[in-house]
Amino acid sequence: MLVVGVLVRWRAEILIVSLVVTARIWLGHEVGPVVAWLIFGGVTVVIVVIPPSRRFVYGRFWCIVDRHRLRTCLRQARARTMNLDGALPFMLWARPTKTGERVWLWTRAGSSSGDIEEALEYIAPACFARDARLHKVRKLSTLFAVDVIRRDPLDKSTPLDSPLGKLGSLLGARVQENAEPITGATVTPLPVKEKKTERPAVVNGDDLSDYID
């Protein structure tokens, strides 16, 4: 059981090393060791230079790091993250997102996602990230995910382009030159008439002004 757990945790590293060693041996037999190393160097340069491939490798790299760092953090955290048998949640898979990475977990009997939520303040520094959040699945309480936040797309020094502006430029909208700006209308206050002081109506010595509308 221990060997199976090690193979599951290190499956990505084992697969990458196996592919690299196999490709190196095969190329060495086909074109020679010097040309094989040149091919490996050229592939590495192409991956680094092309932005899509660089982002792909960069995102998968942090996914691998997050799985190992998250497991270490849950084991060392002061908050309770294991069940009474000392078993951690199953780490299913990790995927890159626009803000970082998302690691999916499956809780075992005797633990819940609330235990992991109490350890979020330890997860962020353990994964070298700025923040960590919990994503719950409403239909299944045993399945949840930890979102590792590394960047904020809205936190930029340059203003974001409006999609409406791009749509207007595609439709041929142009800002008219020498157009007068819209200003507020000038409001002239109306003169207030002063009320005339009326004399009280007195009949037989009685003031009837209160009874006259």
Side-chain angles (χ1 to χ4, degrees):
M1 194 66 182
L2 181 61
V3 177
V4 175
V6 172
L7 293 177
V8 171
R9 289 195 299 270
W10 295 87
R11 61 185 181 275
E13 292 86 342
I14 294 174
L15 178 61
I16 293 173
V17 172
S18 300
L19 291 177
V20 171
V21 172
T22 303
R24 171 62 183 81
I25 295 175
W26 180 77
L27 287 174
H29 286 290
E30 294 293 330
V31 297
V34 177
V35 179
W37 285 116
L38 291 176
I39 293 175
F40 271 96
V43 172
T44 304
V45 171
V46 169
I47 292 175
V48 173
V49 171
I50 300 178
S53 61
R54 182 175 66 247
R55 288 193 295 266
F56 178 85
V57 174
Y58 181 80
R60 265 58 186 184
F61 167 78
W62 278 114
C63 287
I64 296 174
V65 173
D66 286 345
R67 288 195 295 105
H68 293 293
R69 296 294 297 175
L70 182 59
R71 181 180 179 83
T72 303
C73 176
L74 296 182
R75 188 175 294 276
Q76 300 292 335
R78 296 180 181 179
R80 175 180 177 269
T81 58
M82 308 177 187
N83 59 8
L84 297 179
D85 293 336
L88 291 170
F90 289 108
M91 296 187 186
L92 302 179
W93 65 88
R95 291 291 182 271
T97 61
K98 293 182 179 180
T99 57
E101 298 83 36
R102 172 171 289 184
V103 185
W104 287 94
L105 296 94
W106 183 278
T107 57
R108 305 196 191 199
S111 61
S112 65
S113 60
D115 300 333
I116 308 300
E117 190 172 6
E118 296 179 359
L120 290 177
E121 60 178 340
Y122 305 108
I123 293 175
C127 296
F128 313 106
R130 61 190 301 176
D131 194 9
R133 302 170 187 171
L134 190 69
H135 174 75
K136 297 182 180 180
V137 179
R138 295 182 179 180
K139 296 183 180 180
L140 193 60
S141 60
T142 55
L143 181 64
F144 63 96
V146 175
D147 287 331
V148 180
I149 309 300
R150 299 192 180 278
R151 53 193 172 273
D152 186 3
L154 300 179
D155 187 12
K156 293 183 178 180
S157 58
T158 57
L160 298 177
D161 295 334
S162 174
L164 297 177
K166 295 180 179 180
L167 180 60
S169 62
L170 292 176
L171 296 177
R174 295 292 184 271
V175 179
Q176 296 182 359
E177 297 182 357
N178 301 326
E180 297 181 358
I182 299 176
T183 58
T186 304
V187 179
T188 304
L190 297 176
V192 180
K193 295 182 179 180
E194 297 181 356
K195 295 183 179 179
K196 297 182 179 180
T197 304
E198 298 180 356
R199 295 180 180 179
V202 179
V203 178
N204 296 328
D206 296 332
D207 188 2
L208 301 180
S209 59
D210 295 335
Y211 301 95
I212 298 175
D213 190 0

